[in-house]
Amino acid sequence: MATAKAAYYEREQEEMAEMEKSNSGCTLKKGELYQSSSALNKRSMVLDEETFEEQFLRCHVCKDRFSTARMPKLLPCHHSFCAVCITQLYAMEAQQRQNLAPAYRALPSAVTIHCPACRAGFITTDENLEKLPTDHRVVQLMDFVSHTERYTVTFCSKHHLQPLNFFCEPCIRPVCRDCTVLDHKETDNHLVMDLEEALGKYTPVLDAAIREMESESEQLEGKRIALDTAIKTVERSKEDLLHQLHASFNRVRNALSEREKELEGIVMSGVDKEKGKMQDKSRELSERRQKLLKHASTLKEAKAESNVEEMFRVHQEVRDYRAGPPIKVREVDDGIMTTFSLNVRDEALLLSRIANFGDFSSRVEATCPRIRTVRPFSYRSASTSGN
């Protein structure tokens, strides 16, 4: 293991020295590695892909990447922009010229375009604009990028530009060359192996974990679909329960309304009956009074005229009237004192029953299959089995 590591260090130092010598002045940031597909050139270049593309392969005006529709055109100041943006700049200058006074409109159609980068101006016409040369340097860079193989190199977060080429098994993390010397020494019980060897050793474990997680995710998706269906069923159940509830209370309200009308009729009939009896007695008393007043008046007149015959005739009629059926004064008094009351003896019981009327219950039913949870895999067990 030590011999392999030493050989790797020596080879890596030689490659890094050649790379720094050939690529001096380049900015190295994200570790995008371009490798030529040509068999004659085996050297790799570490470049920041985003910075490289932003600097050389995109128009600095519209920020779009150069392409067949947006060919890079070279201005006299040697700055390149896409043909679309240059045409728009020309159109804007030409429109401003059209907005000038009529005297300027008669001048030739050539306008001055200022470079968006250095603000250098040059005069051109619509015909000369189409003759601007294509920047073949950008075209060659586009062709170079399209014919290169690319893969990503991950660098160590602690040590600058050191690729993660090793794997510390106890720490379960990839490390770089400097990490193996400083933080993950074998003398400190750190078991360091080549990253390719670690990938070959733990790839089956990772694949098994991936399969288990995908299987569990499928089961979770099935359970989610089942729950969505259950939610719709519960929503329909809610509508049915509310419909039943409203129908039940409507029946109770209708029954109470009918009973209320029935009692209203009984009250009106009973009170009107007693009222009629009292009105009959009142008429009887009025008639008796009128007769008595009439006899008294006739008797007074006969007495005033000294009509003895009339006096005794009237007196005899009064005696005969009084000899008839007497008026039941007590019965009249009882009618005047008549009172009424409503018996609501079942009201408290009815209110208690209404307060406890109806009930709601629910029951949980298992509609989703049980899910087997993925058991976390262990690097230790894989390491033991591998040894």
Side-chain angles (χ1 to χ4, degrees):
M1 181 66 188
T3 304
K5 187 185 298 185
Y8 175 82
Y9 291 162
E10 183 178 356
R11 185 175 67 254
E12 188 180 48
Q13 289 176 356
E14 293 177 358
E15 292 180 356
M16 291 296 294
E18 293 181 2
M19 188 181 301
E20 291 177 359
K21 186 183 297 183
S22 59
N23 296 327
S24 58
C26 294
T27 302
L28 307 177
K29 291 184 179 180
K30 292 194 175 181
E32 290 294 339
L33 190 145
Y34 286 87
Q35 186 174 13
S36 175
S37 60
S38 173
L40 299 177
N41 186 7
K42 297 296 184 180
R43 178 173 297 173
S44 300
M45 293 187 300
V46 181
L47 300 174
D48 180 3
E49 181 186 13
E50 294 182 1
T51 303
F52 179 79
E53 182 175 313
E54 182 72 22
Q55 185 69 27
F56 300 106
L57 303 182
R58 288 184 179 273
C59 175
H60 290 180
V61 177
C62 63
K63 304 301 181 182
D64 288 340
R65 186 164 179 166
F66 292 120
S67 62
T68 304
R70 291 182 175 271
M71 291 297 294
K73 294 296 182 178
L74 191 64
L75 299 183
C77 59
H78 301 289
H79 288 117
S80 298
F81 304 95
C82 70
V84 176
C85 289
I86 295 177
T87 303
Q88 291 177 353
L89 290 174
Y90 176 82
M92 291 173 58
E93 296 294 337
Q95 182 64 34
Q96 291 181 1
R97 185 181 184 85
Q98 291 295 325
N99 295 333
L100 297 176
Y104 291 96
R105 297 178 185 176
L107 295 176
S109 59
V111 297
T112 301
I113 297 179
H114 295 277
C115 173
C118 63
R119 305 305 299 171
F122 69 98
I123 301 174
T124 183
T125 62
D126 193 4
E127 296 179 355
N128 292 334
L129 193 67
E130 298 180 357
K131 298 179 181 179
L132 286 175
T134 300
D135 191 343
H136 293 285
R137 298 173 301 173
V138 177
V139 176
Q140 290 176 352
L141 287 175
M142 294 168 58
D143 182 71
F144 167 76
V145 171
S146 63
H147 289 82
T148 54
E149 297 178 356
R150 179 181 59 186
Y151 62 94
T152 301
V153 176
T154 305
F155 292 110
C156 180
S157 59
K158 293 183 63 177
H159 304 106
H160 183 60
L161 289 180
Q162 290 297 324
L164 299 175
N165 294 323
F166 300 98
F167 182 80
C168 181
E169 195 168 26
C171 299
I172 318 176
R173 59 176 301 176
V175 294
C176 71
R177 177 191 62 187
D178 292 349
C179 290
T180 62
V181 177
L182 300 175
D183 302 325
H184 299 268
K185 301 178 182 178
E186 294 184 354
T187 56
D188 295 337
N189 298 324
H190 288 274
L191 179 59
V192 179
M193 64 177 64
D194 189 77
L195 185 61
E196 294 295 330
E197 180 184 354
L199 290 176
K201 183 177 182 179
Y202 291 112
T203 294
V205 180
L206 297 174
D207 291 341
I210 292 173
R211 289 193 298 269
E212 291 181 356
M213 287 186 288
E214 290 177 347
S215 176
E216 182 178 349
S217 66
E218 292 178 359
Q219 296 179 28
L220 290 173
E221 178 64 16
K223 189 169 185 177
R224 186 194 65 79
I225 295 174
L227 286 175
D228 290 343
T229 304
I231 290 172
K232 295 179 182 178
T233 303
V234 168
E235 188 65 26
R236 290 194 297 268
S237 298
K238 181 185 73 173
E239 296 176 358
D240 294 339
L241 289 172
L242 291 177
H243 177 73
Q244 296 175 18
L245 176 65
H246 296 158
S248 177
F249 273 84
N250 284 335
R251 289 192 296 269
V252 173
R253 278 190 288 267
N254 293 335
L256 290 174
S257 179
E258 292 177 1
R259 181 58 179 168
E260 181 183 10
K261 292 180 181 178
E262 183 179 356
L263 288 176
E264 182 180 353
I266 294 174
V267 169
M268 294 179 63
S269 176
V271 172
D272 290 344
K273 182 178 180 180
E274 294 298 324
K275 179 182 176 182
K277 291 180 180 180
M278 295 173 66
Q279 289 176 343
D280 293 341
K281 293 176 182 179
S282 177
R283 285 192 299 271
E284 185 178 354
L285 291 174
S286 297
E287 292 174 358
R288 177 67 179 271
R289 178 175 176 275
Q290 292 298 327
K291 288 182 179 181
L292 288 175
L293 290 175
K294 182 178 179 182
H295 288 309
S297 177
T298 304
L299 186 59
K300 285 181 181 180
E301 291 178 0
K303 183 180 178 182
E305 296 175 358
S306 300
N307 189 345
V308 179
E309 182 180 4
E310 184 66 19
M311 289 170 53
F312 285 100
R313 186 187 65 77
V314 174
H315 182 264
Q316 185 62 37
E317 288 182 358
V318 173
R319 290 181 63 184
D320 293 340
Y321 178 75
R322 285 180 174 178
I327 298 177
K328 298 180 181 179
V329 179
R330 180 65 181 173
E331 184 178 330
V332 174
D333 293 339
D334 292 342
I336 294 174
M337 298 301 295
T338 300
T339 58
F340 304 93
S341 63
L342 179 65
N343 186 357
V344 290
R345 59 184 179 276
D346 295 332
E347 181 179 359
L349 177 61
L350 182 60
L351 291 176
S352 175
R353 290 183 177 273
I354 290 178
N356 298 309
F357 177 73
D359 194 6
F360 174 77
S361 62
S362 61
R363 183 179 62 184
V364 178
E365 297 180 357
T367 57
C368 301
R370 297 192 63 179
I371 297 177
R372 183 174 63 85
T373 306
V374 174
R375 178 179 57 85
F377 60 90
S378 172
Y379 285 95
R380 295 292 186 184
S381 60
S383 175
T384 304
S385 61
N387 293 333

